[in-house]
Amino acid sequence: MDRRELADFLRTRRARVSPIEVGLPGNSRRRVPGLRREEVAQLAGMSVDYYTRLEQGRGPHPSRQILNALGRALMLTTDERAHLFHLTGQAPALSQGPRRDVPEGVLHLLEGLDGTPAYVLDAKYDMLAWNDTCAALFGWPYESGPKQGNVIRWIFAAPNLREHLCDEEKSRFAWGSVADLRAAAARYPEDRGIRELVAEMLALSPEFAQMWATHDVEVRRDQRKVISHPELGEIAIECQVLHIPDRDQRLIIYTAAPGSPAQLKLCQLRALSKNGLRNLPAGS
Protein backbone atom coordinates (compact mmCIF):
# COMPACT_ATOMS: atom_id res chain seq x y z
CA MET A 1 0.00 0.00 0.00
CA ASP A 2 1.44 3.33 -1.10
CA ARG A 3 0.02 5.67 1.56
CA ARG A 4 1.59 8.86 0.21
CA GLU A 5 0.37 8.27 -3.35
CA LEU A 6 -3.06 7.28 -2.04
CA ALA A 7 -3.29 10.47 0.03
CA ASP A 8 -2.30 12.69 -2.91
CA PHE A 9 -4.70 10.88 -5.23
CA LEU A 10 -7.65 11.26 -2.86
CA ARG A 11 -6.93 14.97 -2.35
CA THR A 12 -6.69 15.73 -6.06
CA ARG A 13 -9.86 13.75 -6.87
CA ARG A 14 -11.80 15.43 -4.04
CA ALA A 15 -10.84 18.87 -5.37
CA ARG A 16 -12.35 18.03 -8.75
CA VAL A 17 -15.84 17.12 -7.59
CA SER A 18 -18.30 19.94 -7.05
CA PRO A 19 -21.04 19.63 -4.40
CA ILE A 20 -23.73 20.02 -7.06
CA GLU A 21 -22.40 17.01 -8.98
CA VAL A 22 -23.04 14.73 -6.00
CA GLY A 23 -26.35 16.28 -4.97
CA LEU A 24 -25.09 18.58 -2.22
CA PRO A 25 -26.00 22.27 -2.04
CA GLY A 26 -23.40 24.61 -3.52
CA ASN A 27 -21.79 27.28 -1.41
CA SER A 28 -19.99 30.25 -2.93
CA ARG A 29 -18.18 30.87 0.37
CA ARG A 30 -16.07 27.72 0.14
CA ARG A 31 -12.38 28.36 0.71
CA VAL A 32 -11.18 25.45 -1.42
CA PRO A 33 -12.49 23.92 -4.66
CA GLY A 34 -14.34 20.66 -4.65
CA LEU A 35 -15.76 18.70 -1.73
CA ARG A 36 -14.86 18.98 1.92
CA ARG A 37 -13.45 15.95 3.72
CA GLU A 38 -16.55 15.55 5.83
CA GLU A 39 -18.68 15.54 2.67
CA VAL A 40 -16.65 12.75 1.11
CA ALA A 41 -16.91 10.79 4.36
CA GLN A 42 -20.67 11.31 4.42
CA LEU A 43 -21.10 10.21 0.82
CA ALA A 44 -18.89 7.14 1.35
CA GLY A 45 -20.56 6.16 4.63
CA MET A 46 -17.44 6.33 6.80
CA SER A 47 -16.27 8.45 9.68
CA VAL A 48 -14.62 11.81 9.03
CA ASP A 49 -11.65 10.73 11.14
CA TYR A 50 -11.13 7.59 9.03
CA TYR A 51 -11.18 9.51 5.75
CA THR A 52 -8.97 12.29 7.15
CA ARG A 53 -6.33 9.75 8.14
CA LEU A 54 -6.36 8.30 4.62
CA GLU A 55 -5.72 11.77 3.16
CA GLN A 56 -2.95 12.36 5.68
CA GLY A 57 -1.17 9.15 4.70
CA ARG A 58 -1.60 7.49 8.10
CA GLY A 59 -4.82 5.55 7.70
CA PRO A 60 -5.35 1.81 8.04
CA HIS A 61 -5.47 -0.50 5.05
CA PRO A 62 -8.91 0.13 3.50
CA SER A 63 -11.15 -2.77 2.59
CA ARG A 64 -12.55 -3.34 -0.88
CA GLN A 65 -15.91 -2.13 0.43
CA ILE A 66 -14.35 1.17 1.52
CA LEU A 67 -12.58 1.58 -1.82
CA ASN A 68 -15.80 0.99 -3.75
CA ALA A 69 -17.56 3.55 -1.57
CA LEU A 70 -14.79 6.10 -2.17
CA GLY A 71 -14.97 5.44 -5.89
CA ARG A 72 -18.67 6.27 -5.90
CA ALA A 73 -18.30 9.31 -3.63
CA LEU A 74 -15.49 10.80 -5.70
CA MET A 75 -17.13 9.89 -9.03
CA LEU A 76 -14.02 8.06 -10.21
CA THR A 77 -13.76 6.81 -13.76
CA THR A 78 -13.12 3.14 -14.49
CA ASP A 79 -9.41 3.82 -14.92
CA GLU A 80 -9.29 5.85 -11.70
CA ARG A 81 -11.04 3.10 -9.74
CA ALA A 82 -8.51 0.55 -10.99
CA HIS A 83 -5.70 2.92 -10.00
CA LEU A 84 -7.19 3.35 -6.51
CA PHE A 85 -7.18 -0.42 -6.00
CA HIS A 86 -3.63 -0.73 -7.27
CA LEU A 87 -2.43 1.94 -4.84
CA THR A 88 -3.83 -0.01 -1.91
CA GLY A 89 -2.59 -3.38 -3.11
CA GLN A 90 -6.12 -4.71 -3.55
CA ALA A 91 -5.80 -5.32 -7.29
CA PRO A 92 -3.12 -7.84 -8.26
CA ALA A 93 -0.03 -5.81 -9.11
CA LEU A 94 2.38 -7.46 -11.51
CA SER A 95 5.59 -8.33 -9.69
CA GLN A 96 7.88 -7.90 -12.69
CA GLY A 97 8.32 -4.97 -15.00
CA PRO A 98 6.60 -4.55 -18.37
CA ARG A 99 7.31 -7.42 -20.75
CA ARG A 100 9.30 -6.60 -23.88
CA ASP A 101 8.83 -9.81 -25.87
CA VAL A 102 6.25 -9.18 -28.58
CA PRO A 103 4.07 -12.20 -29.47
CA GLU A 104 5.09 -13.80 -32.75
CA GLY A 105 1.57 -13.48 -34.11
CA VAL A 106 1.61 -9.72 -33.52
CA LEU A 107 4.94 -9.44 -35.36
CA HIS A 108 3.40 -11.29 -38.32
CA LEU A 109 0.43 -8.93 -38.20
CA LEU A 110 2.71 -5.88 -38.28
CA GLU A 111 4.55 -7.22 -41.29
CA GLY A 112 1.30 -8.01 -43.08
CA LEU A 113 -0.15 -4.52 -42.62
CA ASP A 114 1.06 -3.33 -46.01
CA GLY A 115 0.54 0.40 -46.32
CA THR A 116 -0.81 0.70 -42.77
CA PRO A 117 1.48 2.30 -40.16
CA ALA A 118 1.57 0.24 -36.98
CA TYR A 119 3.79 -0.27 -33.94
CA VAL A 120 3.85 -1.89 -30.50
CA LEU A 121 4.38 -0.10 -27.17
CA ASP A 122 4.93 -1.57 -23.73
CA ALA A 123 3.49 -0.11 -20.52
CA LYS A 124 6.53 2.15 -20.12
CA TYR A 125 5.98 3.56 -23.64
CA ASP A 126 9.09 1.89 -25.03
CA MET A 127 8.85 1.17 -28.76
CA LEU A 128 9.16 -2.60 -29.18
CA ALA A 129 8.29 -3.21 -32.84
CA TRP A 130 7.06 -1.30 -35.88
CA ASN A 131 6.72 -1.69 -39.60
CA ASP A 132 8.47 0.38 -42.24
CA THR A 133 5.29 2.23 -43.20
CA CYS A 134 5.23 3.57 -39.65
CA ALA A 135 8.87 4.59 -39.92
CA ALA A 136 8.11 6.36 -43.20
CA LEU A 137 5.15 8.18 -41.64
CA PHE A 138 7.21 9.60 -38.78
CA GLY A 139 10.48 9.97 -40.68
CA TRP A 140 12.49 7.64 -38.47
CA PRO A 141 15.66 6.02 -39.71
CA TYR A 142 14.84 2.47 -40.70
CA GLU A 143 17.28 1.02 -38.19
CA SER A 144 15.70 2.76 -35.19
CA GLY A 145 12.46 4.04 -33.78
CA PRO A 146 11.91 7.45 -32.16
CA LYS A 147 14.87 9.04 -30.42
CA GLN A 148 15.98 6.98 -27.41
CA GLY A 149 13.27 4.41 -28.19
CA ASN A 150 10.67 5.83 -25.78
CA VAL A 151 7.62 7.87 -26.74
CA ILE A 152 7.50 9.77 -23.41
CA ARG A 153 11.07 10.96 -23.97
CA TRP A 154 10.20 11.69 -27.58
CA ILE A 155 7.35 13.97 -26.48
CA PHE A 156 8.91 15.86 -23.58
CA ALA A 157 12.47 16.18 -24.88
CA ALA A 158 11.26 17.78 -28.12
CA PRO A 159 12.62 21.32 -28.62
CA ASN A 160 9.20 22.49 -29.82
CA LEU A 161 7.27 20.98 -26.90
CA ARG A 162 5.59 24.23 -25.86
CA GLU A 163 4.41 24.83 -29.40
CA HIS A 164 2.97 21.29 -29.52
CA LEU A 165 1.14 21.76 -26.23
CA CYS A 166 -0.64 24.80 -27.67
CA ASP A 167 -2.31 22.42 -30.12
CA GLU A 168 -5.38 20.88 -28.47
CA GLU A 169 -4.97 17.49 -30.07
CA LYS A 170 -1.25 17.15 -29.34
CA SER A 171 -1.74 18.45 -25.82
CA ARG A 172 -4.42 15.83 -25.20
CA PHE A 173 -2.04 13.14 -26.41
CA ALA A 174 0.71 14.36 -24.05
CA TRP A 175 -1.63 14.54 -21.05
CA GLY A 176 -3.04 11.11 -21.84
CA SER A 177 0.42 9.60 -22.14
CA VAL A 178 1.44 10.91 -18.71
CA ALA A 179 -1.82 9.67 -17.16
CA ASP A 180 -1.26 6.27 -18.77
CA LEU A 181 2.31 6.13 -17.45
CA ARG A 182 1.10 6.89 -13.91
CA ALA A 183 -1.35 4.01 -14.13
CA ALA A 184 1.52 1.77 -15.26
CA ALA A 185 3.63 2.95 -12.33
CA ALA A 186 0.91 1.71 -9.97
CA ARG A 187 0.72 -1.65 -11.77
CA TYR A 188 4.50 -2.08 -11.56
CA PRO A 189 5.49 -0.39 -8.27
CA GLU A 190 8.85 -2.18 -8.15
CA ASP A 191 9.93 -1.56 -11.74
CA ARG A 192 13.19 0.33 -11.80
CA GLY A 193 12.84 1.39 -15.43
CA ILE A 194 9.55 3.21 -14.87
CA ARG A 195 10.86 4.90 -11.70
CA GLU A 196 13.98 6.09 -13.52
CA LEU A 197 11.97 7.34 -16.49
CA VAL A 198 9.65 9.35 -14.23
CA ALA A 199 12.60 10.80 -12.29
CA GLU A 200 14.35 11.72 -15.54
CA MET A 201 11.28 13.45 -16.95
CA LEU A 202 10.56 15.31 -13.71
CA ALA A 203 14.09 16.74 -13.81
CA LEU A 204 13.97 17.46 -17.55
CA SER A 205 10.51 18.87 -18.20
CA PRO A 206 8.43 21.30 -16.10
CA GLU A 207 5.51 20.43 -18.36
CA PHE A 208 5.81 16.74 -17.48
CA ALA A 209 6.10 17.63 -13.79
CA GLN A 210 2.93 19.70 -13.97
CA MET A 211 0.99 16.87 -15.61
CA TRP A 212 2.41 14.24 -13.24
CA ALA A 213 1.39 16.30 -10.21
CA THR A 214 -2.29 16.13 -11.17
CA HIS A 215 -2.38 12.37 -10.44
CA ASP A 216 -4.56 11.81 -13.50
CA VAL A 217 -4.81 8.16 -14.56
CA GLU A 218 -6.05 6.93 -17.91
CA VAL A 219 -5.46 3.87 -20.04
CA ARG A 220 -4.67 4.85 -23.62
CA ARG A 221 -7.56 4.47 -26.04
CA ASP A 222 -8.42 5.42 -29.62
CA GLN A 223 -7.76 8.98 -30.74
CA ARG A 224 -7.82 11.10 -33.88
CA LYS A 225 -4.47 12.57 -34.92
CA VAL A 226 -3.17 14.93 -37.56
CA ILE A 227 0.42 14.15 -38.51
CA SER A 228 2.52 16.56 -40.56
CA HIS A 229 4.69 14.66 -43.03
CA PRO A 230 7.58 16.51 -44.74
CA GLU A 231 6.63 15.20 -48.21
CA LEU A 232 2.92 14.41 -48.02
CA GLY A 233 1.76 17.29 -45.81
CA GLU A 234 -0.90 16.89 -43.12
CA ILE A 235 -2.50 13.45 -42.75
CA ALA A 236 -5.66 13.19 -40.62
CA ILE A 237 -5.83 9.62 -39.33
CA GLU A 238 -7.51 7.52 -36.67
CA CYS A 239 -5.24 6.03 -34.03
CA GLN A 240 -6.62 2.60 -33.09
CA VAL A 241 -5.29 1.07 -29.87
CA LEU A 242 -5.51 -2.71 -29.53
CA HIS A 243 -4.48 -4.08 -26.14
CA ILE A 244 -2.37 -7.23 -25.81
CA PRO A 245 -3.43 -8.18 -22.26
CA ASP A 246 -1.07 -11.08 -21.54
CA ARG A 247 1.89 -8.75 -22.25
CA ASP A 248 0.36 -5.43 -21.10
CA GLN A 249 1.34 -4.07 -24.52
CA ARG A 250 -0.56 -1.99 -27.09
CA LEU A 251 -0.67 -2.43 -30.84
CA ILE A 252 -1.15 1.03 -32.37
CA ILE A 253 -2.60 1.12 -35.88
CA TYR A 254 -3.15 4.28 -37.97
CA THR A 255 -6.12 4.07 -40.33
CA ALA A 256 -8.15 6.33 -42.59
CA ALA A 257 -11.59 6.13 -44.20
CA PRO A 258 -11.61 4.30 -47.56
CA GLY A 259 -11.23 6.69 -50.48
CA SER A 260 -10.33 9.64 -48.25
CA PRO A 261 -7.36 11.92 -48.97
CA ALA A 262 -5.70 10.53 -45.86
CA GLN A 263 -5.96 6.96 -47.16
CA LEU A 264 -4.41 8.00 -50.47
CA LYS A 265 -1.50 9.54 -48.60
CA LEU A 266 -1.07 6.39 -46.51
CA CYS A 267 -0.87 4.42 -49.74
CA GLN A 268 1.86 6.77 -50.96
CA LEU A 269 3.89 5.90 -47.88
CA ARG A 270 4.52 2.48 -49.42
CA ALA A 271 6.91 4.12 -51.87
CA LEU A 272 8.78 5.64 -48.93
CA SER A 273 9.15 2.37 -47.06
CA LYS A 274 10.69 -1.01 -47.70
CA ASN A 275 7.59 -2.92 -46.58
CA GLY A 276 9.46 -4.57 -43.78
CA LEU A 277 9.42 -4.88 -40.00
CA ARG A 278 11.56 -3.46 -37.19
CA ASN A 279 11.66 -5.32 -33.90
CA LEU A 280 13.83 -4.34 -30.95
CA PRO A 281 15.50 -7.24 -29.12
CA ALA A 282 13.69 -8.05 -25.87
CA GLY A 283 16.68 -7.04 -23.75
CA SER A 284 17.54 -3.80 -25.52
Side-chain angles (χ1 to χ4, degrees), residues 2 4-5 94-98 122-126 150 152-153 180-204 208 212:
D2 192 331
R4 187 177 68 176
E5 281 287 315
L94 303 178
S95 58
Q96 299 179 352
D122 70 3
K124 183 190 165 194
Y125 274 65
D126 279 345
N150 182 274
I152 297 291
R153 289 192 181 97
D180 197 6
L181 182 63
R182 181 172 277 283
R187 294 197 303 275
Y188 302 99
E190 303 301 323
D191 184 68
R192 179 178 177 182
I194 292 180
R195 293 200 307 269
E196 290 180 347
L197 175 64
V198 171
E200 176 189 344
M201 292 298 99
L202 288 174
L204 172 70
F208 178 91
W212 188 259

Side-chain angles (χ1 to χ4, degrees), residues 189-264:
E190 303 301 323
D191 184 68
R192 179 178 177 182
I194 292 180
R195 293 200 307 269
E196 290 180 347
L197 175 64
V198 171
E200 176 189 344
M201 292 298 99
L202 288 174
L204 172 70
S205 171
E207 293 82 3
F208 178 91
Q210 177 188 1
M211 296 177 190
W212 188 259
T214 65
H215 287 261
D216 285 351
V217 287
E218 174 187 339
V219 176
R220 174 51 50 81
R221 294 184 173 88
D222 299 347
Q223 181 181 349
R224 183 180 181 276
K225 296 173 69 76
V226 177
I227 295 176
S228 180
H229 190 274
E231 296 182 41
L232 302 179
E234 290 191 343
I235 309 176
I237 52 181
E238 296 294 331
C239 176
Q240 307 294 326
V241 182
L242 306 180
H243 292 264
I244 310 172
D246 63 327
R247 298 291 202 281
D248 199 9
Q249 296 169 357
R250 298 92 184 274
L251 172 61
I252 315 296
I253 303 176
Y254 291 124
T255 64
S260 66
Q263 188 198 37
L264 296 177

Side-chain angles (χ1 to χ4, degrees), residues 42-266:
Q42 175 188 347
L43 291 168
M46 64 182 68
S47 72
V48 177
D49 178 68
Y50 185 99
Y51 180 75
T52 299
R53 283 186 289 155
L54 287 177
E55 274 206 8
Q56 292 176 343
R58 57 185 183 89
H61 200 290
S63 66
R64 299 184 69 87
Q65 181 180 1
I66 288 292
L67 294 177
N68 283 324
L70 285 172
R72 291 190 296 269
L74 295 172
M75 302 182 66
L76 300 184
T77 65
T78 300
D79 293 339
E80 289 171 334
R81 285 174 181 266
H83 186 64
L84 178 66
F85 275 78
H86 280 296
L87 289 176
T88 59
Q90 296 285 354
L94 303 178
S95 58
Q96 299 179 352
R99 292 183 61 171
R100 296 180 59 83
D101 54 320
V102 181
E104 185 176 357
V106 175
L107 294 177
H108 293 163
L109 177 60
L110 277 178
E111 193 168 11
L113 289 171
D114 183 30
T116 300
Y119 60 95
V120 176
L121 286 177
D122 70 3
K124 183 190 165 194
Y125 274 65
D126 279 345
M127 293 282 297
L128 302 181
W130 57 92
N131 59 21
D132 280 358
T133 312
C134 178
L137 175 63
F138 290 106
W140 301 331
Y142 285 110
E143 67 275 6
S144 65
K147 185 178 181 182
Q148 301 183 40
N150 182 274
V151 174
I152 297 291
R153 289 192 181 97
W154 186 29
I155 295 172
F156 290 96
N160 55 348
L161 172 63
R162 293 186 179 181
E163 175 185 338
H164 279 196
L165 294 182
C166 291
D167 181 278
E168 181 180 356
E169 191 174 272
K170 294 175 181 178
S171 177
R172 184 167 62 251
F173 178 79
W175 278 89
S177 298
V178 175
D180 197 6
L181 182 63
R182 181 172 277 283
R187 294 197 303 275
Y188 302 99
E190 303 301 323
D191 184 68
R192 179 178 177 182
I194 292 180
R195 293 200 307 269
E196 290 180 347
L197 175 64
V198 171
E200 176 189 344
M201 292 298 99
L202 288 174
L204 172 70
S205 171
E207 293 82 3
F208 178 91
Q210 177 188 1
M211 296 177 190
W212 188 259
T214 65
H215 287 261
D216 285 351
V217 287
E218 174 187 339
V219 176
R220 174 51 50 81
R221 294 184 173 88
D222 299 347
Q223 181 181 349
R224 183 180 181 276
K225 296 173 69 76
V226 177
I227 295 176
S228 180
H229 190 274
E231 296 182 41
L232 302 179
E234 290 191 343
I235 309 176
I237 52 181
E238 296 294 331
C239 176
Q240 307 294 326
V241 182
L242 306 180
H243 292 264
I244 310 172
D246 63 327
R247 298 291 202 281
D248 199 9
Q249 296 169 357
R250 298 92 184 274
L251 172 61
I252 315 296
I253 303 176
Y254 291 124
T255 64
S260 66
Q263 188 198 37
L264 296 177
K265 290 183 179 181
L266 289 181

